[in-house]
Amino acid sequence: MSKMKYGIIGCGVIAKRFSTALAKSATSELYACAARDKDRAEAFAKGNGAKVAYGSYEELIADPEVDAIYIATIHNKHAKIAEMCINGGKPVICEKPFFVSGEEADRVITLAKEKNVLIMEAFWTRMQPSYLKIKEWIKDGKIGDITMIYAAFAFCVPYNEQTKNSRLFLPETAGGALLDVGVYPYEYITGIMEGEPEEFLYCVDRFRTGVDGSVAMIMKYPGCIATGLTSITATLDTNAEICGNNGRIKHYYFPGGKKAELFNQQGEIVETFTDDEDEGFVYEVEHFTELIRSGKKDSDMIPLKDVRAFAYQVDKILG
């Protein structure tokens, strides 16, 4: 079977990482890339093995050789570009968060359904073998009933002359902690619990530029309270904890974790899982390619209803 040919829109750091995953994939390959600056696209193509470089997104979308498109631009450009791809009949895997508002989510998801085109958020966390092993442990009752979850993704970016124009600090580029990395603890928790919370509370600290510097999220499920933290003004441990009434699980670097440990009630490690793959993006590539080949229009790992739910929580939190 021939490899699926991917086109990448946006030629930044995250696009380079996705191209590395494509190079390691058994089912897919990088075929084309596009940027608004043709020179930038050509430099990316040369450095990452793309056969074709375009100076416009429209040209890449129109290329009949492109089987699927990965969107790697900044957040507030995702929806518009996705609509262009959908109208061009091209399956879309979009960097997280796919949407910056509930309105965007409804509009793009509706269009994809109307055009019968597959779209998926590139939430690689839920596709990691360690995450799937944790889900298996929970399903098998290894920790009993889940009672508490903690997950945080936060890092400190200094605000100075060199960084003040970074997209992270600018409202006009959908900056702030929640949209950049807050999606990780939220969709991690809702994935573990397999649904949205019955109660959702939050607290926001605004940075001087108007974006959210830090956000705390509390999610209440029957018998369980989950805490999700995110920030661009503080650095926190990225190891997640899932606690039950008969044990607990520690997931090391949960956004793309390779290691998970299962503990009994006495705090003893009873099982350890490790994954040797050094590029975790490979799993989302393989999953998306399989979705295309199977004719499915929604992922069972990161379904559109979950992506839409986060977009609506963004509306609440950021107002």
Side-chain angles (χ1 to χ4, degrees), residues 51-62:
K51 297 178 177 62
V52 184
Y54 292 112
S56 77
Y57 304 157
E58 292 83 356
E59 288 178 287
L60 184 145
I61 295 168

Side-chain angles (χ1 to χ4, degrees), residues 239-252:
N239 299 330
E241 296 271 357
I242 304 166
C243 303
N245 57 8
N246 197 38
R248 66 184 175 89
I249 296 166
K250 186 171 185 176
H251 195 185
Y252 292 86

Side-chain angles (χ1 to χ4, degrees), residues 99-171:
F99 311 111
V100 301
S101 70
E103 184 278 329
E104 277 192 356
D106 287 341
R107 192 178 75 236
V108 176
I109 292 172
T110 297
L111 179 64
K113 289 180 179 179
E114 288 176 352
K115 299 291 185 179
N116 199 32
V117 173
L118 168 68
I119 63 172
M120 187 188 85
E121 182 180 75
F123 192 70
W124 66 306
T125 301
R126 289 194 188 180
M127 299 163 203
Q128 301 307 303
S130 59
Y131 176 87
L132 298 177
K133 173 55 71 172
I134 287 170
K135 296 274 286 183
E136 180 184 309
W137 284 340
I138 293 169
K139 184 178 180 180
D140 290 344
K142 295 291 183 70
I143 63 170
D145 297 326
I146 299 175
T147 55
M148 295 199 79
I149 302 175
Y150 169 84
F153 198 166
F155 54 90
C156 186
V157 181
Y159 184 74
N160 51 41
E161 285 299 314
Q162 288 71 44
T163 63
K164 68 179 183 180
N165 292 319
S166 165
R167 64 173 181 81
L168 288 174
F169 295 120
L170 302 177

Side-chain angles (χ1 to χ4, degrees), residues 12-14 72-78 95-97 100 155 157 159 162-181 184 207 209-212 232:
V13 175
I14 201 70
T73 59
I74 59 176
H75 315 321
N76 60 331
K77 303 294 185 184
H78 290 173
E95 192 50 48
K96 73 205 79 62
V100 301
F155 54 90
V157 181
Y159 184 74
Q162 288 71 44
T163 63
K164 68 179 183 180
N165 292 319
S166 165
R167 64 173 181 81
L168 288 174
F169 295 120
L170 302 177
E172 58 267 32
T173 57
L178 184 64
L179 287 170
D180 196 64
V181 289
Y184 280 100
F207 192 67
T209 62
V211 303
D212 55 300
I232 55 172

